[in-house]
Amino acid sequence: MELASARLHKGQISWWGLLLTASLLTTWSPPTTAQVTIEAVPTDVAEGKDVLLLVHNLPQALRIFNWYKGNNTEGAYEIARFITADNTNRTGAAYSGRETIYQNGSLFFQNVDKSDEGVYTLSGLDQDYAPILKFYVRFYVHLALQKPSITSNNSSPMEGEDSVLMCGPYTDNIIYLWRRNGESLSEGDRLKLSEGNRTLTLLNVTRNDTGPYECEIRNLVSANRSDPFSLNIAYGPDTPSIFPSDTYLLQGSNLSLSCHAASNPPAQYFWLFNEMPQASSQELFIPNVTTNNSGIYTCFVNNSGTGLSRTTVKNITVLEAVTQPFLQVINTTIKELDSVTLTCYSNDTGISGIRWLFNNHSLQLTDRMTLSQNNSILTIDPTKREDAGEYQCEISNPVSSKGSNPIRLDIIADPTQGGLSEGAIAGIVIGCVAGVALIAALAYFLYSRKTGGGSDQRDLTEHKPSAFNHNLGPSDNSPNKVDDVSYTVLNFRDQQPKQPASASPPPRAKESLYSEVKKK
Ligand SMILES: *[C@@H]1O[C@H](CO)[C@@H](O)[C@H](O)[C@H]1NC(C)=O
Ligand SMILES: *[C@@H]1O[C@H](CO)[C@@H](O)[C@H](O)[C@H]1NC(C)=O
Ligand SMILES: *[C@@H]1O[C@H](CO)[C@@H](O)[C@H](O)[C@H]1NC(C)=O
Ligand SMILES: *[C@@H]1O[C@H](CO)[C@@H](O)[C@H](O)[C@H]1NC(C)=O
Ligand SMILES: *[C@@H]1O[C@H](CO)[C@@H](O)[C@H](O)[C@H]1NC(C)=O
Ligand SMILES: *[C@@H]1O[C@H](CO)[C@@H](O)[C@H](O)[C@H]1NC(C)=O
Ligand SMILES: *[C@@H]1O[C@H](CO)[C@@H](O)[C@H](O)[C@H]1NC(C)=O
């Protein structure tokens, strides 16, 4: 009786899907332990994979237990049974050949397909063949995902157009993920996802949207990724750039220009010189240029894909190398504190700079130095001893430069600043004049004694003043040679105005010179 009521009770519980009879609980194990549980491992199975319907704590008092496909425990749905008495099992009508029933109650299912998805029932009979347990478990079979592929309604858009990418083929219950250049994409201003993220719309594409794109599809059990897909976006040409950027070229060098413009498909390049076609290439090469090659060079680029063209022009000037400049100074020996002017002459036009060198280094201008006439004239006023040295001027144009021959300036110490005293200088000068006079007098004396006077002497005296003229400049209006000589001497005297009387040479010597000359 007890058993019968227990059976009835069990039936009700089994309707709820989970049970262990009260009698079982009371007869063979403490009610708090031995909780029977059942699970599918895994619940979501990829097609072709295996699943274990795992039973925990199966009551050991069972005489027999059965697995059924579905929730119907009729014989037609029996997969297999296990008889605990002799540890044997038998397969049932619904056995597919891929199931294995274990002593511990679990059922192992191999190589499942979509039709295996669903509910499975475990039922058990006690020693009296009374059903005392019934459990249901469910698993899902998911198709292994095929490799998806990307298609586009416009895979070669022009910059500014829209393009729609679709990931296919379409399958239910899958998640779509998009990547561009390996980075996950999400919606943005120009990027829209639709149809459950299956469709990616690119609005107003730019050349940076080229890709490659990948779409990945996922379900609970698998994932697969498409091959990379790139858009062939037509753009450009952008404004071309010309290299190198030099504007000036030295005559005789090679002109080698190269033009580049971003463009897809690649642009065609053309060169024009003063609007006359030169070459249909990206590079232009003209060896050994002359000034005739100065002019306007145009790079013309055209994109047949977009039908657009652009140009960039470049002015090239071919210059001859500058010739050597000439440095001039009136006198290379200057008395300290006097001024000196150095003048740089050049025949070249288009000189872009004049530089001054002092002892082979760039001249450091002091406040005593001035540059004038576009730096072609250097004036030092007043000079100092440290100004003595080699001067050069160097002229340049944008492609060449050349230095003059050096000129050495000697700066003679100012006597008031030390060095030779005025008196000493005066003494030397007068001594020299006197010496020359004496020698001349002696020579004249000897000569006239030998020849008795003659026309040759005229030549000698005529020659003398012309040499002076060359050296010291003035005096074409001199009435005669005597005046020339005196002028020269006086000139010397003027330069030594402070000559003290005590240092004068013997006056007789000078007088004799005058008298000898006057005789002629
Ligand atoms: C039952 O036996 C199978 C096969 O030996 C095993 O994989 C499974 O883990 C066992 N179940 C339990 C609950 O131990
Ligand atoms: C592709 O689809 C987008 C959005 O529908 C549309 O704007 C674009 O014009 C289409 N392109 C072509 C070539 O059909
Ligand atoms: C689409 O993708 C976004 C992320 O980009 C995600 O937040 C959203 O849940 C996805 N929608 C669907 C239906 O998968
Ligand atoms: C493309 O990207 C580069 C660098 O990321 C950027 O400088 C350029 O402006 C972009 N071009 C367009 C058309 O968006
Ligand atoms: C100029 O080009 C010629 C070939 O045309 C080459 O032989 C020469 O070396 C080049 N000169 C320079 C300075 O590059
Ligand atoms: C360059 O041209 C000049 C004159 O046009 C010519 O005299 C010279 O030989 C040429 N040099 C070379 C390397 O071709
Ligand atoms: C430059 O062109 C003129 C006329 O075309 C020609 O007479 C002259 O010889 C050319 N000069 C050089 C350096 O090639």
Side-chain angles (χ1 to χ4, degrees):
M1 285 304 287
E2 248 185 60
L3 195 60
S5 75
R7 269 181 216 142
L8 191 69
H9 193 202
K10 272 178 286 169
Q12 284 172 342
I13 293 170
S14 74
W15 182 252
W16 302 101
L18 150 74
L19 33 82
L20 198 52
T21 64
S23 67
L24 252 178
L25 286 171
T26 52
T27 51
W28 72 271
S29 71
T32 49
T33 61
Q35 181 85 12
V36 178
T37 57
I38 182 165
E39 58 178 334
V41 181
T43 305
D44 292 287
V45 196
E47 192 177 37
K49 292 290 196 300
D50 309 331
V51 61
L52 179 65
L53 306 181
L54 186 58
V55 178
H56 299 276
N57 306 321
L58 185 77
Q60 286 173 358
L62 292 177
R63 172 177 286 273
I64 188 169
F65 59 86
N66 318 57
W67 275 102
Y68 298 92
K69 181 163 169 61
N71 51 18
N72 193 322
T73 53
E74 288 173 21
Y77 302 101
E78 186 184 18
I79 296 167
R81 72 177 66 175
F82 194 92
I83 300 120
T84 51
D86 54 4
N87 263 349
T88 58
N89 60 63
R90 296 222 189 111
T91 56
Y95 177 67
S96 75
R98 293 171 290 131
E99 302 91 343
T100 309
I101 195 165
Y102 295 127
Q103 183 178 11
N104 62 16
S106 297
L107 182 73
F108 186 57
F109 221 122
Q110 283 175 290
N111 189 21
V112 297
D113 61 33
K114 189 69 184 171
S115 65
D116 297 327
E117 179 175 288
V119 171
Y120 289 80
T121 304
L122 169 69
S123 77
L125 302 177
D126 66 11
Q127 301 300 330
D128 300 321
Y129 297 97
I132 55 164
L133 66 81
K134 196 176 236 182
F135 281 98
Y136 305 104
V137 68
R138 173 188 284 276
F139 65 85
Y140 302 87
V141 175
H142 301 271
L143 299 180
L145 293 172
Q146 304 289 307
K147 183 182 190 140
S149 63
I150 298 175
T151 52
S152 172
N153 77 338
N154 190 7
S155 61
S156 301
M158 294 235 302
E159 230 170 14
E161 291 182 349
D162 299 341
S163 183
V164 177
L165 305 187
M166 282 150 294
C167 187
Y170 174 73
T171 320
D172 249 338
N173 294 322
I174 60 174
I175 292 172
Y176 294 87
L177 297 166
W178 289 91
R179 286 192 185 77
R180 176 164 63 196
N181 302 322
E183 285 180 21
S184 289
L185 283 183
S186 50
E187 289 209 301
D189 284 349
R190 297 190 299 104
L191 202 152
K192 303 291 172 205
L193 290 165
S194 54
E195 294 184 59
N197 295 352
R198 184 185 166 219
T199 300
L200 173 68
T201 303
L202 302 163
L203 300 171
N204 193 8
V205 297
T206 74
R207 63 195 69 177
N208 292 349
D209 295 329
T210 297
Y213 294 84
E214 286 170 317
C215 87
E216 182 177 310
I217 53 176
R218 281 185 191 170
N219 60 18
L220 289 168
V221 298
S222 66
N224 215 330
R225 190 183 288 195
S226 71
D227 285 334
F229 176 91
S230 293
L231 290 174
N232 180 21
I233 299 169
Y235 59 86
D238 290 353
T239 304
S241 315
I242 298 176
F243 302 100
S245 54
D246 309 349
T247 303
Y248 296 100
L249 273 182
L250 180 61
Q251 172 158 306
S253 62
N254 296 334
L255 173 62
S256 178
L257 295 177
S258 142
C259 187
H260 178 79
S263 175
N264 184 44
Q268 297 154 282
Y269 293 83
F270 303 92
W271 282 99
L272 297 91
F273 172 60
N274 290 340
E275 303 190 352
M276 300 292 289
Q278 297 294 301
S280 330
S281 58
Q282 201 168 351
E283 323 276 332
L284 178 68
F285 183 76
I286 303 176
N288 197 11
V289 290
T290 71
T291 49
N292 282 1
N293 297 115
S294 294
I296 297 165
Y297 290 81
T298 305
C299 171
F300 176 91
V301 290
N302 176 58
N303 178 334
S304 58
T306 61
L308 301 173
S309 356
R310 289 279 173 85
T311 60
T312 293
V313 301
K314 179 165 188 56
N315 244 313
I316 300 271
T317 305
V318 178
L319 296 172
E320 294 177 24
V322 290
T323 55
Q324 188 176 38
F326 173 68
L327 183 56
Q328 194 187 54
V329 64
I330 300 290
N331 200 339
T332 58
T333 305
I334 303 104
K335 193 156 72 74
E336 188 172 16
L337 299 182
D338 279 359
S339 73
V340 64
T341 297
L342 296 135
T343 309
C344 189
Y345 292 103
S346 165
N347 292 327
D348 292 319
T349 53
I351 290 168
S352 56
I354 300 181
R355 196 162 79 98
W356 289 87
L357 301 174
F358 177 60
N359 291 338
N360 286 325
H361 292 101
S362 232
L363 174 67
Q364 302 295 311
L365 282 184
T366 68
D367 53 3
R368 296 177 292 103
M369 300 177 180
T370 4
L371 291 172
S372 53
Q373 305 250 354
N374 292 326
N375 294 355
S376 68
I377 296 177
L378 169 66
T379 307
I380 311 176
D381 186 15
T383 53
K384 285 199 172 170
R385 258 171 291 177
E386 67 247 34
D387 299 329
E390 259 184 19
Y391 287 79
Q392 261 177 296
C393 68
E394 186 188 86
I395 61 167
S396 54
N397 66 9
V399 295
S400 65
S401 65
K402 209 157 267 167
S404 66
N405 284 331
I407 281 188
R408 163 164 283 286
L409 286 191
D410 294 315
I411 312 290
I412 297 173
D414 179 350
T416 62
Q417 307 281 312
L420 286 174
S421 75
E422 262 180 287
I425 293 169
I428 290 164
V429 169
I430 292 165
C432 289
V433 169
V436 168
L438 277 172
I439 290 162
L442 183 59
Y444 180 72
F445 176 69
L446 292 173
Y447 182 77
S448 55
R449 233 178 40 156
K450 196 171 175 184
T451 63
S455 56
D456 285 351
Q457 191 216 328
R458 183 172 294 264
D459 292 333
L460 179 71
T461 50
E462 267 180 2
H463 185 69
K464 238 177 174 176
S466 94
F468 277 124
N469 279 346
H470 273 293
N471 287 340
L472 295 164
S475 82
D476 261 359
N477 48 357
S478 318
N480 57 43
K481 291 131 201 166
V482 177
D483 278 4
D484 271 353
V485 175
S486 358
Y487 179 86
T488 305
V489 174
L490 285 172
N491 206 20
F492 266 96
R493 278 207 177 138
D494 281 348
Q495 288 181 340
Q496 309 287 338
K498 291 176 187 169
Q499 179 185 343
S502 64
S504 297
R508 211 188 294 164
K510 203 163 72 187
E511 277 165 9
S512 71
L513 173 63
Y514 287 166
S515 58
E516 293 298 341
V517 174
K518 275 174 184 167
K519 277 182 190 164
K520 285 168 273 158

